[in-house]
Amino acid sequence: MSPAAEAAEAVAPLLLQVEGMKCGGCVRAVEQRLLEQPGVRQASVNLMTRTAWVGLDPALEGDPSGPLVEALAGLGFQAQRRDQTSTPLSRAQRQRQEGWWQQWRRLVVALGLLVVSVLGHLSEAGDLPLPMLADIRLHALVATLALALPGRPILGRGLVGALNGMPSMDTLVGLGMGSAYLASAVALLVPSLGWQCFFNEPVMLLGFVLLGRFIEERARFRTGRALEQLAALQPDTALLVLGDGPPRPVRVGGLRPEDRVLLLPGDRVPVDGLVLEGRSAVDASSLTGEPLPLQAGPGSELAAGSLNLEAPLTLQVLRSGSDSAVARIIALVEEAQARKAPIQGLADRIAGRFSGVVVLLAGATFLFWWQWGTKLWPQVLQAAPSAHAHGGHQAVGMAAGALHGAAMAPLPLALQLAISVLVVACPCALGLATPAAITVGSGLAARSGLLFRGGDAIEMAASLRSVLFDKTGTLTLGRPLVTAVEVLTTAPEGGVPSRSEVDGLVQIAASLEQHTRHPLAFALLQEAQRRDLSLLEVTDSRTIAGQGVEGRLRDPLATGLGAGPACHVGRPGWLVELGIVAQEVIEAPLHRLEAAGATVLAVSARADGASGADPGPGAQRVALVAVHDQPRPDAAESLAELARLGLDLGVLSGDRRPAVEQLARQLAVPLDQVAWELLPQQKLERLLQWRQRGPVAMVGDGINDAPALAAADLGIAVGTGTQIAQDSAGLVVLGDRLEGVVDALLIARRTMAKVRQNLIWAFGYNLVVLPIAAGVLLPRFGVLLSPPLAALLMATSSITVVLNALLLQGPAPLRSRQSSQLLEGAPQ
């Protein structure tokens, strides 16, 4: 089942904004606490966007956000419900909401105290003639202020996480700072113990941690730039037309359906609207990726965010700002960023337990070097970095031999190594590796009119082996034209059918199809309009998936045929199965029309209304309607690009064999990978056969495609398709372009390549630096990783992951060059 179909099993998702998460351990703690709440079926947390996507039980009553917010508050996380109907906040608003300036103030205070601590260290060494700064009591005061002011939030969150049995990055940093401070305080208050003081350790550690987090936040904001650009497409004000008076500027949020607005050249469409007056060229590339402007006139529907290029237009509001196309796109992208990719599961499981493992490793490191390590290798006490002592104050250097002085005692050395282990470990990089890339990748796709429904859809798109296509409306333009109407059964006396008889059957067919959105329905409606035929009122209309439409005419005599109320339009074979027409009657003309490359529909008007009964001679009218639909201009090139990406291609169609085979030859699709005359259930069966080769995607646009879209590993709906097709898909391609499928798969592969790079870096970093921090290289090479350097490395690791994800936003190579470069990444 596709990711979209699985998500549809729950009610509309609830999005929560969760503040205070710093690492994968926080993610795991939030998810576990949410899943413990009544009525919560699914929970997925994105560390990058700090959002929680919650799937709720359909039977749940009332607003569940209150209990969820309270539950997270018990863990020390501030949460609030995100209103998906509102547009995203501006950059400045987001910065203010998330306490940007509070972080900045804490960083400035921490760096100021760090400067004082460094100056004191230099004064101790005799490099500065400021003896007052070398006083150990001043260093104790600086360390106390650092922990009490900028360090207090870290200590508080770390303690809450530890008490709840869910240690986080703040727990590790808090333990490191707290243990260094307490050991130094004991050494200061009880000099007889002979311990060294290193008050500068927690100050330097805190300064580097806050500096790293601040830089990480700056990079994190850049990942949300795509949503900001989408939100900027919707202007804040619009010109409201009030009677005969001049237009008045009003806020877009105040517009309601049926209001009329004036759109001037150069303005963006403020809400989804219907053109009432005027004609102009409109650029919708920001939403759909369509390079060419569309010509808008009376009756044209325009989406919010489109740009008016030429002349004034008067619009009638169809949907308010919160329900507009751009608002729905933004909500879909936010949901996609909140739903994690399966590959993230392993990283989250490891990161969730990582902090506890690191605490145990730090404890083991402390005990080993305190009790046994210094006895096995006594030279490490001489090689350990130290500064010139002053008043018993011992500073820690960056590496062995960097500073020399008195030998270090086993306890301070063991404590420094344990602190380094606590601080250098980086569950943040593990937690950010996947969501950072998914956030940037989904935003990049949205700017191109490609809407992934989640990280799971992106991961699946990158691992596809096969892509299957529907024919009509997907590989073809979906704007077919009627080229012939051939009446098969007339009155018993025979003769050439009259024009009124042909018009009557066309009128019936168009009337039955007037409420459907299949591309062939538009062909019948256009033909009825061309013949100046009015549409008749139809009751009991019913669409039979994969077959056609049946219904009853409220006024059967309006056609002039004396037709009965029961009518059908659809596949010729369907009418044969119903007993409306004999196979031998329909076979020859059907073969002739299909040999010319036409798609053929059959229409019937019956007098008795009983499906399957023998109506008797002269009691029915049957005609074949030949429809031609041209392939999309970009279909051949798009399929060739997909083939170059190493994907197997196929066509599953409900159309007749000659039309499907002719299209396959035009698009260079092997005939052995093409199937025709398939009912929805048969499409499912064929799709399951293709899945034996590996993950398969289905591209479609109609009601009869919805089951296959839901059953495929990845359902892809083109933007011109029906709503049910889009709801069943994991990827929606906006606009009338098939090349968007190629672009989407390329973006997915690039995104997952970044995910793999980030995970390799995150795992590799911790596997390398943790043993070094624990002192593995100290006995033989004299390499000692000090806590301040460990903090700097930890911050650099997180920043590297985010910056690597941001490289996705760089200029992408041409599609043909991408194909050759990414061919190596094709699933084997």
Side-chain angles (χ1 to χ4, degrees):
M1 183 176 293
S2 69
E6 291 177 353
E9 294 179 0
V11 297
L14 172 70
L15 276 180
L16 297 176
Q17 188 75 28
V18 185
E19 299 299 332
M21 297 187 297
K22 301 299 181 184
C23 64
C26 301
V27 170
R28 180 170 174 264
V30 170
E31 288 182 345
Q32 286 184 344
R33 182 54 61 92
L34 289 174
L35 290 172
E36 292 171 357
Q37 306 310 306
V40 176
R41 286 184 171 181
Q42 305 173 40
S44 179
V45 178
N46 187 314
L47 179 60
M48 175 60 61
T49 59
R50 296 197 177 107
T51 54
W53 180 91
V54 185
L56 301 172
D57 190 332
L60 194 63
E61 298 181 356
D63 183 8
S65 60
L68 298 182
V69 169
E70 294 178 3
L72 295 181
L75 291 179
F77 299 106
Q78 296 180 354
Q80 62 179 357
R81 181 170 184 169
R82 175 181 287 187
D83 184 5
Q84 289 183 267
T85 63
S86 61
T87 56
L89 301 176
S90 67
R91 185 183 184 88
Q93 289 173 319
R94 287 168 57 207
Q95 291 174 357
R96 286 195 296 269
Q97 178 178 326
E98 298 183 13
W100 179 273
W101 295 112
Q102 292 182 3
Q103 297 180 32
W104 172 251
R105 286 195 296 268
R106 287 199 295 267
L107 175 62
V108 170
V109 172
L111 293 180
L113 295 174
L114 175 61
V115 170
V116 174
S117 180
V118 171
L119 292 177
H121 176 70
L122 295 176
S123 298
E124 284 184 298
D127 297 329
L128 285 178
L130 297 173
M132 185 184 77
L133 293 179
D135 192 335
I136 184 60
R137 290 168 296 184
L138 175 63
H139 287 276
L141 176 62
V142 169
T144 303
L145 291 175
L147 296 186
L149 296 175
R152 185 174 59 183
I154 294 178
L155 293 174
R157 288 192 297 264
L159 179 61
V160 171
L163 293 177
N164 283 279
M166 299 176 179
S168 64
M169 188 68 221
D170 285 334
T171 305
L172 301 182
V173 175
L175 278 174
M177 293 190 303
S179 57
Y181 178 83
L182 291 177
S184 300
V186 171
L188 177 64
L189 297 175
V190 188
S192 60
L193 293 176
W195 294 1
Q196 293 96 337
C197 293
F198 31 88
F199 282 112
N200 64 330
E201 292 287 354
V203 178
M204 296 179 70
L205 196 158
L206 178 64
F208 284 134
V209 168
L210 291 181
L211 177 61
R213 289 185 178 180
F214 186 81
I215 297 174
E216 180 186 322
E217 280 296 306
R218 292 289 301 271
R220 189 194 303 265
F221 276 120
R222 288 182 59 193
T223 65
R225 188 170 297 172
L227 280 182
E228 292 176 1
Q229 292 173 347
L230 285 173
L233 295 177
Q234 194 165 29
D236 294 328
T237 60
L239 294 175
L240 179 64
V241 177
L242 299 171
D244 297 330
R248 302 291 184 182
V250 297
R251 292 195 61 82
V252 171
L255 295 176
R256 295 293 180 266
E258 306 300 327
D259 286 345
R260 299 173 68 188
V261 297
L262 177 64
L263 190 67
L264 300 177
D267 288 349
R268 288 200 176 271
V269 180
V271 292
D272 293 352
L274 185 71
V275 178
L276 298 179
E277 300 175 9
R279 294 185 180 275
S280 180
V282 177
D283 179 11
S285 60
S286 299
L287 293 175
T288 66
E290 291 281 359
L292 298 178
L294 59 91
Q295 296 299 319
S300 300
E301 184 174 336
L302 301 180
S306 303
L307 179 65
N308 184 22
L309 299 177
E310 295 177 346
L313 296 172
T314 300
L315 304 181
Q316 177 181 319
V317 177
L318 295 179
R319 289 173 288 275
S320 60
S322 60
D323 297 324
S324 65
V326 66
R328 294 196 303 272
I329 291 173
I330 290 170
L332 188 59
V333 174
E334 286 183 330
E335 179 183 337
Q337 293 177 349
R339 284 172 48 188
K340 64 179 64 177
I343 195 175
Q344 188 179 344
L346 174 62
D348 281 351
R349 286 193 296 271
I350 294 176
R353 298 171 175 81
F354 187 76
S355 298
V357 173
V358 170
V359 171
L360 295 177
L361 178 60
T365 300
F366 176 80
L367 289 176
F368 175 80
W369 287 105
W370 181 30
Q371 295 295 326
W372 302 289
T374 53
K375 296 177 182 178
L376 293 173
W377 301 287
Q379 71 274 15
V380 300
L381 296 176
Q382 297 295 330
S386 61
H388 299 291
H390 182 85
H393 183 209
Q394 190 78 14
V396 179
M398 293 297 188
L403 296 168
H404 299 280
M408 181 176 286
L411 182 62
L413 174 64
L415 185 59
Q416 288 187 27
L417 290 170
I419 294 173
S420 294
V421 170
L422 288 171
V423 176
V424 80
C426 191
C428 301
L430 287 172
L432 290 171
T434 300
I438 294 296
T439 298
V440 177
S442 58
L444 178 65
R447 291 210 309 267
S448 302
L450 310 168
L451 305 181
F452 286 100
R453 291 191 181 273
D456 45 3
I458 293 179
E459 182 175 346
M460 182 55 66
S463 61
L464 291 174
R465 291 292 305 273
S466 307
V467 180
L468 305 180
F469 293 86
D470 177 46
K471 172 184 171 288
T472 305
T474 302
L475 291 175
T476 61
L477 288 173
R479 293 189 291 270
L481 298 176
V482 174
T483 56
V485 180
E486 185 168 336
V487 178
L488 299 181
T489 308
T490 61
E493 60 272 13
V496 178
S498 65
R499 176 178 177 82
S500 61
E501 188 174 5
V502 174
D503 286 350
L505 288 168
V506 171
Q507 187 179 30
I508 290 173
S511 300
L512 289 173
E513 293 277 15
Q514 63 182 308
H515 298 302
T516 67
R517 292 189 60 188
H518 194 280
L520 297 180
F522 291 102
L524 293 171
L525 293 171
Q526 283 186 323
E527 182 65 12
Q529 186 177 16
R530 188 183 70 82
R531 293 173 179 261
D532 198 23
L533 302 173
S534 61
L535 298 180
L536 307 176
E537 187 174 355
V538 177
T539 61
D540 299 331
S541 177
R542 188 163 64 103
T543 298
I544 311 299
Q547 302 285 18
V549 181
E550 65 178 10
R552 305 173 68 86
L553 300 180
R554 183 176 294 277
D555 183 9
L557 299 179
T559 62
L561 297 176
C567 304
H568 300 78
V569 59
R571 293 175 55 247
W574 181 41
L575 270 63
V576 173
E577 294 171 4
L578 293 176
I580 296 174
V581 63
Q583 178 68 35
E584 57 270 16
V585 174
I586 206 172
E587 189 170 6
L590 179 62
H591 178 75
R592 183 177 65 256
L593 294 173
E594 289 182 336
T599 297
V600 181
L601 295 173
V603 55
S604 73
R606 306 186 61 212
D608 63 337
S611 297
D614 184 8
Q620 60 185 4
R621 301 293 188 271
V622 179
L624 297 181
V625 181
V627 178
H628 276 85
D629 192 8
Q630 297 299 316
R632 292 179 184 266
D634 60 346
E637 181 182 355
S638 298
L639 267 62
E641 291 285 352
L642 291 173
R644 282 194 285 271
L645 286 175
L647 296 168
D648 296 329
L649 305 178
V651 178
L652 303 181
S653 175
D655 209 344
R656 298 279 291 181
R657 177 174 182 171
V660 177
E661 287 187 336
Q662 184 181 45
L663 178 67
R665 283 190 287 267
Q666 288 180 272
L667 301 181
V669 178
L671 294 182
D672 61 348
Q673 298 184 173
V674 174
W676 48 84
E677 298 184 37
L678 299 179
L679 300 176
Q681 182 59 36
Q682 293 172 321
K683 283 188 178 182
L684 279 178
E685 295 171 358
R686 290 297 185 108
L687 188 143
L688 294 176
Q689 294 175 8
W690 278 81
R691 289 185 71 176
Q692 297 176 3
R693 310 183 187 185
V696 60
M698 178 69 193
V699 187
D701 73 322
I703 292 177
N704 61 326
D705 299 322
L709 291 174
D713 295 295
L714 178 68
I716 304 176
V718 294
T720 53
T722 60
Q723 186 63 45
I724 188 173
Q726 295 187 25
D727 291 344
S728 302
L731 167 64
V732 177
V733 179
L734 299 179
D736 197 14
R737 57 198 181 95
L738 201 59
E739 62 188 14
V741 177
V742 184
D743 294 334
L745 299 191
L746 289 172
I747 290 175
R749 289 192 178 186
R750 291 177 59 207
T751 300
M752 293 311 300
K754 289 299 179 186
V755 168
R756 287 188 289 270
Q757 292 170 13
N758 284 350
L759 288 175
I760 290 173
W761 165 259
F763 282 108
Y765 164 84
N766 285 288
L767 290 175
V768 171
V769 299
L770 278 174
I772 296 176
V776 169
L777 302 181
L778 183 57
R780 180 163 185 165
F781 301 100
V783 175
L784 175 67
L785 191 63
S786 69
L789 179 58
L792 187 61
L793 289 175
M794 181 271 295
T796 302
S797 176
S798 298
I799 296 169
T800 301
V801 166
V802 179
L803 293 180
N804 185 50
L806 286 171
L807 293 178
L808 282 169
Q809 293 180 339
L814 296 176
R815 193 175 293 119
S816 59
R817 288 162 58 190
Q818 280 180 294
S819 299
S820 59
Q821 291 174 359
L822 291 174
L823 187 57
E824 298 178 359
Q828 302 299 319

